[in-house]
Amino acid sequence: MCSDNLDRLLALVGCQNEGSGALDDIEVISQARRSLEAVHLIRLGARATLVCQLTGLGRKTVSDLYSRLTGSPPPRGQLPFTDSWYLCSNLRMLHANVVWQLYQHFEALGHSEAGLVIHVYQTYLQITEVPLLTLTRAYFVPRLISINAWFKHACTHCGLQYIGPLGNYPSMCPACVEYFRHRCRSCGAEIESRRLGRRKTHCQQCHEERYRTRKKVRQASHVNP
Ligand SMILES: [Zn+2]
Ligand SMILES: [Zn+2]
């Protein structure tokens, strides 16, 4: 497909999609829609294997599209499906949670599987100044929930839902973890960062207050065992 034909195809499909959704039943339009989705996915950085999987197009069709759009043959294979990359930093987890929220939002709008990934990832790129997740990593986020590697949790501080694995994972959402990195967990006051030693979780005032409270509780339990 030469680039002129591709542009005409994109224009045609873009135009048809504004009309009746019933046109999707026509095989030609369906094929055109899937080709359009493949173009979007490749431009957003998807690997050929994932494009085939999401659009249902054949490997050869996708490889041809990939080569024409990027000027090089598609790399082989797929990234390993593991959550260890996300867990390396709280900021990555925060981005994964943003992507998950976007999935929640766009799922309700009834896109095709490929369309959903495209809408989520385009929006993610729009709202993040420095995106950390590639399209493939963004695609993996809801998969981690569906295979029970990650679960929904309620943040112990803000109460909002977030996703992450079970176990030693912090009980706060990544946004609160980021917020409290240099702030007191009780009053929110800024805490001076220390180069060495354990990071403080409370300011001096709250730390003393907590100490006094604990002491009172201990004394009371000695009086009334
Ligand atoms: Zn929170
Ligand atoms: Zn404090």
PDB file of all heavy atoms in Angstrom, residues 173-196:
ATOM      1  N   CYS A 173      -1.534   4.621  48.123  1.00  0.00           N
ATOM      2  CA  CYS A 173      -1.479   4.664  46.657  1.00  0.00           C
ATOM      3  C   CYS A 173      -0.166   5.354  46.230  1.00  0.00           C
ATOM      4  O   CYS A 173       0.424   6.110  47.008  1.00  0.00           O
ATOM      5  CB  CYS A 173      -2.700   5.385  46.104  1.00  0.00           C
ATOM      6  SG  CYS A 173      -2.696   7.161  46.390  1.00  0.00           S
ATOM      7  N   PRO A 174       0.300   5.118  45.007  1.00  0.00           N
ATOM      8  CA  PRO A 174       1.564   5.724  44.574  1.00  0.00           C
ATOM      9  C   PRO A 174       1.559   7.255  44.644  1.00  0.00           C
ATOM     10  O   PRO A 174       2.597   7.868  44.881  1.00  0.00           O
ATOM     11  CB  PRO A 174       1.710   5.248  43.124  1.00  0.00           C
ATOM     12  CG  PRO A 174       0.909   4.005  43.055  1.00  0.00           C
ATOM     13  CD  PRO A 174      -0.240   4.198  43.987  1.00  0.00           C
ATOM     14  N   ALA A 175       0.381   7.878  44.477  1.00  0.00           N
ATOM     15  CA  ALA A 175       0.324   9.344  44.547  1.00  0.00           C
ATOM     16  C   ALA A 175       0.609   9.802  45.978  1.00  0.00           C
ATOM     17  O   ALA A 175       1.365  10.760  46.200  1.00  0.00           O
ATOM     18  CB  ALA A 175      -1.039   9.848  44.091  1.00  0.00           C
ATOM     19  N   CYS A 176       0.019   9.097  46.958  1.00  0.00           N
ATOM     20  CA  CYS A 176       0.266   9.463  48.365  1.00  0.00           C
ATOM     21  C   CYS A 176       1.706   9.138  48.753  1.00  0.00           C
ATOM     22  O   CYS A 176       2.333   9.892  49.500  1.00  0.00           O
ATOM     23  CB  CYS A 176      -0.717   8.736  49.289  1.00  0.00           C
ATOM     24  SG  CYS A 176      -2.375   9.455  49.243  1.00  0.00           S
ATOM     25  N   VAL A 177       2.236   8.015  48.260  1.00  0.00           N
ATOM     26  CA  VAL A 177       3.637   7.674  48.553  1.00  0.00           C
ATOM     27  C   VAL A 177       4.538   8.794  48.053  1.00  0.00           C
ATOM     28  O   VAL A 177       5.444   9.256  48.762  1.00  0.00           O
ATOM     29  CB  VAL A 177       4.038   6.337  47.882  1.00  0.00           C
ATOM     30  CG1 VAL A 177       5.541   6.117  47.977  1.00  0.00           C
ATOM     31  CG2 VAL A 177       3.306   5.169  48.525  1.00  0.00           C
ATOM     32  N   GLU A 178       4.247   9.283  46.854  1.00  0.00           N
ATOM     33  CA  GLU A 178       5.047  10.364  46.271  1.00  0.00           C
ATOM     34  C   GLU A 178       4.891  11.644  47.095  1.00  0.00           C
ATOM     35  O   GLU A 178       5.853  12.346  47.386  1.00  0.00           O
ATOM     36  CB  GLU A 178       4.569  10.600  44.826  1.00  0.00           C
ATOM     37  CG  GLU A 178       5.607  11.075  43.858  1.00  0.00           C
ATOM     38  CD  GLU A 178       6.839  10.186  43.801  1.00  0.00           C
ATOM     39  OE1 GLU A 178       6.723   8.962  43.831  1.00  0.00           O
ATOM     40  OE2 GLU A 178       7.938  10.761  43.749  1.00  0.00           O
ATOM     41  N   TYR A 179       3.644  11.924  47.487  1.00  0.00           N
ATOM     42  CA  TYR A 179       3.346  13.139  48.258  1.00  0.00           C
ATOM     43  C   TYR A 179       4.065  13.123  49.609  1.00  0.00           C
ATOM     44  O   TYR A 179       4.621  14.124  50.053  1.00  0.00           O
ATOM     45  CB  TYR A 179       1.828  13.250  48.461  1.00  0.00           C
ATOM     46  CG  TYR A 179       1.406  14.435  49.283  1.00  0.00           C
ATOM     47  CD1 TYR A 179       1.391  15.716  48.736  1.00  0.00           C
ATOM     48  CD2 TYR A 179       1.040  14.286  50.616  1.00  0.00           C
ATOM     49  CE1 TYR A 179       1.017  16.813  49.497  1.00  0.00           C
ATOM     50  CE2 TYR A 179       0.666  15.381  51.384  1.00  0.00           C
ATOM     51  CZ  TYR A 179       0.654  16.633  50.819  1.00  0.00           C
ATOM     52  OH  TYR A 179       0.295  17.727  51.573  1.00  0.00           O
ATOM     53  N   PHE A 180       4.035  11.948  50.258  1.00  0.00           N
ATOM     54  CA  PHE A 180       4.614  11.870  51.603  1.00  0.00           C
ATOM     55  C   PHE A 180       6.109  11.547  51.605  1.00  0.00           C
ATOM     56  O   PHE A 180       6.683  11.328  52.661  1.00  0.00           O
ATOM     57  CB  PHE A 180       3.859  10.837  52.457  1.00  0.00           C
ATOM     58  CG  PHE A 180       2.509  11.319  52.884  1.00  0.00           C
ATOM     59  CD1 PHE A 180       1.355  10.691  52.437  1.00  0.00           C
ATOM     60  CD2 PHE A 180       2.383  12.420  53.711  1.00  0.00           C
ATOM     61  CE1 PHE A 180       0.106  11.143  52.821  1.00  0.00           C
ATOM     62  CE2 PHE A 180       1.139  12.880  54.111  1.00  0.00           C
ATOM     63  CZ  PHE A 180      -0.003  12.241  53.650  1.00  0.00           C
ATOM     64  N   ARG A 181       6.701  11.527  50.441  1.00  0.00           N
ATOM     65  CA  ARG A 181       8.135  11.235  50.378  1.00  0.00           C
ATOM     66  C   ARG A 181       8.925  12.231  51.227  1.00  0.00           C
ATOM     67  O   ARG A 181       9.868  11.883  51.900  1.00  0.00           O
ATOM     68  CB  ARG A 181       8.602  11.307  48.923  1.00  0.00           C
ATOM     69  CG  ARG A 181       9.910  10.621  48.675  1.00  0.00           C
ATOM     70  CD  ARG A 181      10.212  10.586  47.193  1.00  0.00           C
ATOM     71  NE  ARG A 181       9.411   9.602  46.480  1.00  0.00           N
ATOM     72  CZ  ARG A 181       9.630   8.287  46.527  1.00  0.00           C
ATOM     73  NH1 ARG A 181      10.612   7.798  47.255  1.00  0.00           N
ATOM     74  NH2 ARG A 181       8.875   7.457  45.853  1.00  0.00           N
ATOM     75  N   HIS A 182       8.503  13.493  51.197  1.00  0.00           N
ATOM     76  CA  HIS A 182       9.192  14.525  51.988  1.00  0.00           C
ATOM     77  C   HIS A 182       8.206  15.300  52.858  1.00  0.00           C
ATOM     78  O   HIS A 182       8.380  16.484  53.094  1.00  0.00           O
ATOM     79  CB  HIS A 182       9.955  15.477  51.062  1.00  0.00           C
ATOM     80  CG  HIS A 182      10.941  14.773  50.201  1.00  0.00           C
ATOM     81  ND1 HIS A 182      12.056  14.156  50.716  1.00  0.00           N
ATOM     82  CD2 HIS A 182      10.958  14.543  48.870  1.00  0.00           C
ATOM     83  CE1 HIS A 182      12.729  13.587  49.730  1.00  0.00           C
ATOM     84  NE2 HIS A 182      12.085  13.802  48.600  1.00  0.00           N
ATOM     85  N   ARG A 183       7.137  14.632  53.249  1.00  0.00           N
ATOM     86  CA  ARG A 183       6.152  15.308  54.102  1.00  0.00           C
ATOM     87  C   ARG A 183       5.761  14.422  55.282  1.00  0.00           C
ATOM     88  O   ARG A 183       5.798  13.203  55.174  1.00  0.00           O
ATOM     89  CB  ARG A 183       4.885  15.639  53.291  1.00  0.00           C
ATOM     90  CG  ARG A 183       5.082  16.787  52.337  1.00  0.00           C
ATOM     91  CD  ARG A 183       3.844  17.028  51.503  1.00  0.00           C
ATOM     92  NE  ARG A 183       4.100  18.013  50.485  1.00  0.00           N
ATOM     93  CZ  ARG A 183       4.011  19.311  50.663  1.00  0.00           C
ATOM     94  NH1 ARG A 183       3.623  19.777  51.829  1.00  0.00           N
ATOM     95  NH2 ARG A 183       4.273  20.140  49.675  1.00  0.00           N
ATOM     96  N   CYS A 184       5.358  15.094  56.350  1.00  0.00           N
ATOM     97  CA  CYS A 184       4.912  14.385  57.549  1.00  0.00           C
ATOM     98  C   CYS A 184       3.590  13.666  57.271  1.00  0.00           C
ATOM     99  O   CYS A 184       2.679  14.237  56.682  1.00  0.00           O
ATOM    100  CB  CYS A 184       4.714  15.403  58.678  1.00  0.00           C
ATOM    101  SG  CYS A 184       3.924  14.723  60.127  1.00  0.00           S
ATOM    102  N   ARG A 185       3.503  12.404  57.680  1.00  0.00           N
ATOM    103  CA  ARG A 185       2.295  11.621  57.405  1.00  0.00           C
ATOM    104  C   ARG A 185       1.110  12.041  58.273  1.00  0.00           C
ATOM    105  O   ARG A 185      -0.023  11.684  57.985  1.00  0.00           O
ATOM    106  CB  ARG A 185       2.561  10.134  57.621  1.00  0.00           C
ATOM    107  CG  ARG A 185       3.459   9.610  56.544  1.00  0.00           C
ATOM    108  CD  ARG A 185       3.448   8.122  56.465  1.00  0.00           C
ATOM    109  NE  ARG A 185       4.437   7.687  55.504  1.00  0.00           N
ATOM    110  CZ  ARG A 185       4.755   6.437  55.290  1.00  0.00           C
ATOM    111  NH1 ARG A 185       4.153   5.493  55.959  1.00  0.00           N
ATOM    112  NH2 ARG A 185       5.658   6.130  54.404  1.00  0.00           N
ATOM    113  N   SER A 186       1.385  12.772  59.334  1.00  0.00           N
ATOM    114  CA  SER A 186       0.269  13.207  60.182  1.00  0.00           C
ATOM    115  C   SER A 186      -0.228  14.587  59.797  1.00  0.00           C
ATOM    116  O   SER A 186      -1.428  14.809  59.653  1.00  0.00           O
ATOM    117  CB  SER A 186       0.698  13.237  61.646  1.00  0.00           C
ATOM    118  OG  SER A 186       0.928  11.944  62.100  1.00  0.00           O
ATOM    119  N   CYS A 187       0.691  15.553  59.635  1.00  0.00           N
ATOM    120  CA  CYS A 187       0.228  16.929  59.412  1.00  0.00           C
ATOM    121  C   CYS A 187       0.550  17.453  58.006  1.00  0.00           C
ATOM    122  O   CYS A 187       0.079  18.519  57.618  1.00  0.00           O
ATOM    123  CB  CYS A 187       0.819  17.869  60.468  1.00  0.00           C
ATOM    124  SG  CYS A 187       2.583  18.120  60.268  1.00  0.00           S
ATOM    125  N   GLY A 188       1.344  16.719  57.236  1.00  0.00           N
ATOM    126  CA  GLY A 188       1.638  17.150  55.866  1.00  0.00           C
ATOM    127  C   GLY A 188       2.745  18.185  55.759  1.00  0.00           C
ATOM    128  O   GLY A 188       3.062  18.633  54.646  1.00  0.00           O
ATOM    129  N   ALA A 189       3.340  18.559  56.915  1.00  0.00           N
ATOM    130  CA  ALA A 189       4.425  19.553  56.870  1.00  0.00           C
ATOM    131  C   ALA A 189       5.644  18.966  56.155  1.00  0.00           C
ATOM    132  O   ALA A 189       5.881  17.763  56.218  1.00  0.00           O
ATOM    133  CB  ALA A 189       4.803  19.956  58.292  1.00  0.00           C
ATOM    134  N   GLU A 190       6.379  19.835  55.494  1.00  0.00           N
ATOM    135  CA  GLU A 190       7.565  19.353  54.775  1.00  0.00           C
ATOM    136  C   GLU A 190       8.626  18.869  55.757  1.00  0.00           C
ATOM    137  O   GLU A 190       8.834  19.476  56.802  1.00  0.00           O
ATOM    138  CB  GLU A 190       8.135  20.463  53.905  1.00  0.00           C
ATOM    139  CG  GLU A 190       7.393  20.560  52.586  1.00  0.00           C
ATOM    140  CD  GLU A 190       8.123  21.408  51.581  1.00  0.00           C
ATOM    141  OE1 GLU A 190       9.323  21.151  51.361  1.00  0.00           O
ATOM    142  OE2 GLU A 190       7.488  22.315  51.038  1.00  0.00           O
ATOM    143  N   ILE A 191       9.292  17.783  55.388  1.00  0.00           N
ATOM    144  CA  ILE A 191      10.375  17.247  56.221  1.00  0.00           C
ATOM    145  C   ILE A 191      11.663  17.383  55.431  1.00  0.00           C
ATOM    146  O   ILE A 191      11.705  17.034  54.250  1.00  0.00           O
ATOM    147  CB  ILE A 191      10.147  15.753  56.530  1.00  0.00           C
ATOM    148  CG1 ILE A 191       8.846  15.550  57.288  1.00  0.00           C
ATOM    149  CG2 ILE A 191      11.307  15.184  57.332  1.00  0.00           C
ATOM    150  CD1 ILE A 191       8.504  14.090  57.533  1.00  0.00           C
ATOM    151  N   GLU A 192      12.646  17.884  56.112  1.00  0.00           N
ATOM    152  CA  GLU A 192      13.954  18.029  55.445  1.00  0.00           C
ATOM    153  C   GLU A 192      14.490  16.661  55.058  1.00  0.00           C
ATOM    154  O   GLU A 192      14.462  15.731  55.862  1.00  0.00           O
ATOM    155  CB  GLU A 192      14.944  18.693  56.406  1.00  0.00           C
ATOM    156  CG  GLU A 192      15.235  20.146  56.055  1.00  0.00           C
ATOM    157  CD  GLU A 192      16.273  20.711  56.992  1.00  0.00           C
ATOM    158  OE1 GLU A 192      17.426  20.276  56.912  1.00  0.00           O
ATOM    159  OE2 GLU A 192      15.885  21.578  57.813  1.00  0.00           O
ATOM    160  N   SER A 193      14.958  16.521  53.838  1.00  0.00           N
ATOM    161  CA  SER A 193      15.470  15.211  53.429  1.00  0.00           C
ATOM    162  C   SER A 193      16.859  14.982  54.032  1.00  0.00           C
ATOM    163  O   SER A 193      17.651  15.920  54.175  1.00  0.00           O
ATOM    164  CB  SER A 193      15.523  15.117  51.904  1.00  0.00           C
ATOM    165  OG  SER A 193      16.291  16.171  51.404  1.00  0.00           O
ATOM    166  N   ARG A 194      17.099  13.725  54.419  1.00  0.00           N
ATOM    167  CA  ARG A 194      18.390  13.373  55.025  1.00  0.00           C
ATOM    168  C   ARG A 194      19.189  12.540  54.029  1.00  0.00           C
ATOM    169  O   ARG A 194      18.626  11.728  53.305  1.00  0.00           O
ATOM    170  CB  ARG A 194      18.150  12.541  56.287  1.00  0.00           C
ATOM    171  CG  ARG A 194      17.453  13.307  57.352  1.00  0.00           C
ATOM    172  CD  ARG A 194      17.612  12.651  58.698  1.00  0.00           C
ATOM    173  NE  ARG A 194      16.971  11.340  58.784  1.00  0.00           N
ATOM    174  CZ  ARG A 194      16.925  10.631  59.898  1.00  0.00           C
ATOM    175  NH1 ARG A 194      17.470  11.086  61.007  1.00  0.00           N
ATOM    176  NH2 ARG A 194      16.324   9.458  59.931  1.00  0.00           N
ATOM    177  N   ARG A 195      20.469  12.795  54.019  1.00  0.00           N
ATOM    178  CA  ARG A 195      21.320  12.046  53.090  1.00  0.00           C
ATOM    179  C   ARG A 195      21.504  10.609  53.554  1.00  0.00           C
ATOM    180  O   ARG A 195      21.513   9.688  52.769  1.00  0.00           O
ATOM    181  CB  ARG A 195      22.692  12.703  52.970  1.00  0.00           C
ATOM    182  CG  ARG A 195      22.652  13.921  52.082  1.00  0.00           C
ATOM    183  CD  ARG A 195      24.023  14.421  51.846  1.00  0.00           C
ATOM    184  NE  ARG A 195      24.032  15.323  50.719  1.00  0.00           N
ATOM    185  CZ  ARG A 195      25.054  15.496  49.934  1.00  0.00           C
ATOM    186  NH1 ARG A 195      26.151  14.833  50.142  1.00  0.00           N
ATOM    187  NH2 ARG A 195      24.995  16.339  48.929  1.00  0.00           N
ATOM    188  N   LEU A 196      21.648  10.456  54.890  1.00  0.00           N
ATOM    189  CA  LEU A 196      21.913   9.125  55.439  1.00  0.00           C
ATOM    190  C   LEU A 196      20.795   8.721  56.400  1.00  0.00           C
ATOM    191  O   LEU A 196      20.028   9.550  56.872  1.00  0.00           O
ATOM    192  CB  LEU A 196      23.247   9.132  56.201  1.00  0.00           C
ATOM    193  CG  LEU A 196      24.494   9.445  55.366  1.00  0.00           C
ATOM    194  CD1 LEU A 196      25.695   9.662  56.274  1.00  0.00           C
ATOM    195  CD2 LEU A 196      24.783   8.308  54.394  1.00  0.00           C
TER     196      LEU A 196
END
